[in-house]
Amino acid sequence: MFHHVKKLLLLSSLTVMSIRSSAQEMPDMWTTGANNKANPNLEWFKSAKFGLFIHWGLYSKLGGKWKDSSYYGSGEWIMNRAKAPAAEYAKVAQTFNPTGFNAEQWAEIAKNSGVKYLVITAKHHEGFSMYDSKVTDFDIVDATPYKKDPMKELAAACRKQNIQFGFYYSQFLDWHEPNGGGNKWDFKEAEKDYQQYYRSKSVPQLKELLTNYGKLGIVWFDMPGGLTVDQTKIMIDSLRKLQPNCLFSSRVGHDLGDYRDFGDSEVPPTPIAGAWESIYTHNDSWGYIQHDLNFKSPRDIIHLLSNVASKGGNLMLNVGPDGNGRWPEYSIKYLLETGKWLKKYGESIYGTTYGLIPAQPWGVTTSKPGKLYLHIWQQPDNNQLKIAGINANITSVRILGTTQPLAWKKIGSETIIQLPATLPDARNTVLIMEYKGQQQDLSQLHTQTVSAHYPEITMSPVWAVFNGAASTKSFTYSHYFGDWKHDNCAINMTQPTDALVFPLQVQEAGDFKVVLDYNCEAGAATQPGLVTLGAQQLPFLTLPTGTYDSHQPMLFLQHAVGVIHIDQPGEYNLTVKPAKANKKELFRLRNVILQPLQ
Ligand code: H79
């Protein structure tokens, strides 16, 4: 006999379910927020949704090798990591001759990849200027055999393709200059005059970029430092005069940017209003590394793009051309493949905002007035999409790009859409649901949909209700160097009262294996924990995975703790908590995974 699972009376209808009042603030070690001012210049940016980032500099010529050593991780940091003397590193310029660079071709690939804006490194932390600068001789025209300004051509080629063009500029770090931030292996920290650096290089160069390359969409600042709020304001004002419509990224510092950037390779856990951007690189490095072949697949890119869009943001994806000016073959191939997907399904990305219903076992949603786009990443095994919470009057449901209506019906609060046995795109087929009237914004709803028709249901604690001291924290760490990962975990669970409660909307009865995905330090291992659903209890002991250190991979264990049975569809609460008062926090819980058992 299975225990009968009691329905939760509290959660008797969708409208009274717990809805997050405001999006969660993400702690981050280098991101600052934006100024939140109303800004008409943000309109193009907010509807663009997909941008291309390009890291290109002397590090691209090195390709991840300095002397006899190969480096992994962020290739544009190679000078810093090798502590290469500035004078010696500067000699790389003497052989930097990117004859393979073809602005027209770059812009054409960008166009066919479906990006609406392009941001390229004018100067990264290494201090080398990839454009014709009068401020220094350490630039591509004066210091290399190439002798030409590739940025002039690229700016023109992008405009021809109707792509907004922008520059990345590292305004504080400059390992080539005695007064620039960061190089302490050649220059004494105590002797640095950052003001002098801003006055003599940074600001004059930013002025060149804002003067000589036509209308810029964005100046993408990175790594603020050395300036007070007032000094930053003065700098921004002096630059804005040159191009009042140009957007500045939030990494200009002190919350003075026009839109918000998250950390490198970070997507916020919950939908967020306003203008913001996630940045990712195609492989592990931003700058070209010859031996870095860990490229994201077209499916990965399409999922990343639709996931970011479903939360209301832009994705700017990076490619690292080599020292000859050629893009990695996989980057060309997979970006063009993404572009093909966008040709068909772009309506569900461009000009959209976050989805009005929460993430589903099958995928995510994006929206426009009167339209909900359903991004199907995972087809249910019964070919029926069952969705709770659609309260608008549906007028039609179609596969995007076809005129063939899909059959749908409403049963209670659920909408059931009949899918064809095979979807046209196994990576992400998008349905368009058109409706009249208002659709309630349920994007912050805590409830997790559980269905037996998917291989597994993954639930982040970000959506749990936190009792006692339990809370959530974003853990940041890298595998190699600068290839940041970010995982939100539940923390501070030491007492049975520090419980996580996951409100579930279960669509089908069944047995489910409960798998806890967590990190646990050795000292916290073997502590007793408990998963409960009604009267059912799954006791477990924590297992060690290793410590957390931002410069080490954070290891997670997928620990199967038992089976629960659900008698009938409905609303339930699943809780995870310490079984007794423990000395240490139970673990850092990243996900609760439910696997339907056959
Ligand atoms: O251009 C790419 C990166 O090179 C750049 N942002 C993206 C778009 C970036 N620069 N710095 N960071 C990202 C943050 C780096 C922080 C750290 Fe470190 C580098 C932490 C560990 C290594 C600096 C050096 C702080 C500690 C050691």
Side-chain angles (χ1 to χ4, degrees), residues 29-30 53 55 74 76-77 80 124-125 168 173 220 222-223 251 264 279 286 481-482 484 551:
M29 60 187 182
W30 64 79
F53 212 175
H55 275 64
S74 288
E76 71 285 358
W77 274 74
N80 179 298
H124 205 273
H125 311 337
Y168 168 108
L173 294 181
W220 213 96
D222 200 6
M223 294 296 284
R251 294 190 194 175
D264 295 359
I279 56 166
W286 302 88
F481 180 98
W484 300 109
H551 295 315

Side-chain angles (χ1 to χ4, degrees), residues 378-394:
Q378 172 74 52
Q379 183 161 11
D381 64 10
N382 63 346
N383 302 323
Q384 288 190 350
L385 281 193
K386 205 188 267 185
I387 311 165
I390 308 279
N391 69 334
N393 292 320
I394 300 171

Side-chain angles (χ1 to χ4, degrees), residues 1 77 80 176 303 439:
M1 263 298 282
W77 274 74
N80 179 298
H176 181 73
H303 284 201
Q439 169 59 40

